Amino acid sequence: EAGVAQSPRYKIIEKRQSVAFWCNPISGHATLYWYQQILGQGPKLLIQFQNNGVVDDSQLPKDRFSAERLKGVDSTLKIQPAKLEDSAVYLCASSLYGAVSTEAFFGQGTRLTVV
Amino acid sequence: DQQVKQNSPSLSVQEGRISILNCDYTNSMFDYFLWYKKYPAEGPTFLISISSIKDKNEDGRFTVFLNKSAKHLSLHIVPSQPGDSAVYFCAASHTGNQFYFGTGTSLTVIP
């Protein structure tokens, strides 16, 4: 079974530039998550999709972050414009069920450095 | 606000001995808890979970204990192996909604 795929693995941009990350979840997984992990901290949920609908985006800085999951499969996360404090690893995860507590499978993450 | 706390950033254990990783939470509504293991440059991988209706769950060398009154859970690894060296995150949620992660504990198992 193929895992969660993310690209790119690494990205370095200057502040105020834009960046986009891509995620392909495990086939058949209805729920998709984007997490932000700042160095020394645990992952923090940015947005949760159930199929192509948003379940929770309460911690997404909507003035600069946006995410979409067209057709309920792949997802993109965009930052525009980036700030220095956005430097982090962005993790995508997917799970089979939505409302039921279950394990989430994580991708390798995209390490973003904003200079 | 840090609702899930792992107060030990690191832990070193001799191979063959028991590793005990601790996690505390503040939200009494949390009813599902998970442990994830993370190797460098990889995403976290699920290790073991426990729901609030239980106080213990065992899977091979890994056992998670939940003390609801103390809002505390722990992960026991027996016996510890060098391959267990990784960062361990605990996570908690209420009814399967947003999972809150701790800051992680880096375990080193010394051969």
Side-chain angles (χ1 to χ4, degrees):
Chain A
E1 175 183 79
V4 176
Q6 289 187 247
S7 67
R9 287 296 310 277
Y10 306 93
K11 190 74 177 178
I12 301 174
I13 62 171
E14 295 183 350
K15 59 184 179 184
R16 292 187 289 274
Q17 284 188 320
S18 301
V19 65
F21 312 128
W22 174 82
C23 174
N24 185 12
I26 293 173
S27 177
H29 280 195
T31 305
L32 184 146
Y33 314 81
W34 282 103
Y35 283 86
Q36 179 193 57
Q37 185 177 11
I38 293 173
L39 186 65
Q41 298 181 19
K44 183 184 83 171
L45 180 70
L46 292 176
I47 189 167
Q48 177 180 344
F49 291 95
Q50 177 75 12
N51 295 309
N52 61 351
V54 175
V55 173
D56 185 346
D57 64 356
S58 57
Q59 297 193 91
L60 186 74
K62 298 181 186 63
D63 58 333
R64 298 185 300 107
F65 286 65
S66 64
E68 60 181 10
R69 190 183 184 197
L70 299 176
K71 301 179 181 179
V73 181
D74 293 6
S75 177
T76 56
L77 176 69
K78 297 179 182 177
I79 308 175
Q80 180 179 5
K83 293 185 175 181
L84 296 177
E85 59 260 36
D86 298 332
S87 294
V89 175
Y90 290 85
L91 294 162
C92 178
S94 68
S95 64
L96 190 58
Y97 301 106
V100 178
S101 301
T102 187
E103 62 178 286
F105 295 83
F106 283 83
Q108 291 180 298
T110 296
R111 180 176 296 277
L112 173 67
T113 303
V114 183
V115 298
Chain B
D1 61 338
Q2 192 72 26
Q3 299 194 50
V4 178
K5 299 178 183 178
Q6 294 176 257
N7 292 318
S8 298
S10 62
L11 175 68
S12 291
V13 172
Q14 285 289 135
E15 180 179 3
R17 305 294 290 269
I18 183 171
S19 295
I20 300 176
L21 295 92
N22 294 304
C23 180
D24 297 291
Y25 59 96
T26 58
N27 189 339
S28 58
M29 297 296 290
F30 287 150
D31 57 7
Y32 198 75
F33 307 88
L34 303 91
W35 282 94
Y36 279 85
K37 177 180 179 179
K38 184 181 182 306
Y39 292 117
E42 295 183 13
T45 55
F46 171 77
L47 191 58
I48 193 169
S49 64
I50 189 168
S51 78
S52 59
I53 62 173
K54 303 174 78 172
D55 54 19
K56 175 183 174 181
N57 188 26
E58 194 171 352
D59 183 3
R61 296 185 298 113
F62 302 91
T63 303
V64 56
F65 295 92
L66 175 63
N67 182 334
K68 290 185 289 293
S69 61
K71 297 191 183 69
H72 177 84
L73 65 155
S74 61
L75 174 68
H76 292 209
I77 306 174
V78 183
S80 300
Q81 300 174 353
D84 297 329
S85 297
V87 177
Y88 290 79
F89 292 97
C90 67
S93 81
H94 171 51
T95 65
N97 291 320
Q98 177 179 173
F99 280 92
Y100 293 87
F101 282 78
T103 52
T105 295
S106 178
L107 173 66
T108 301
V109 180
I110 303 164

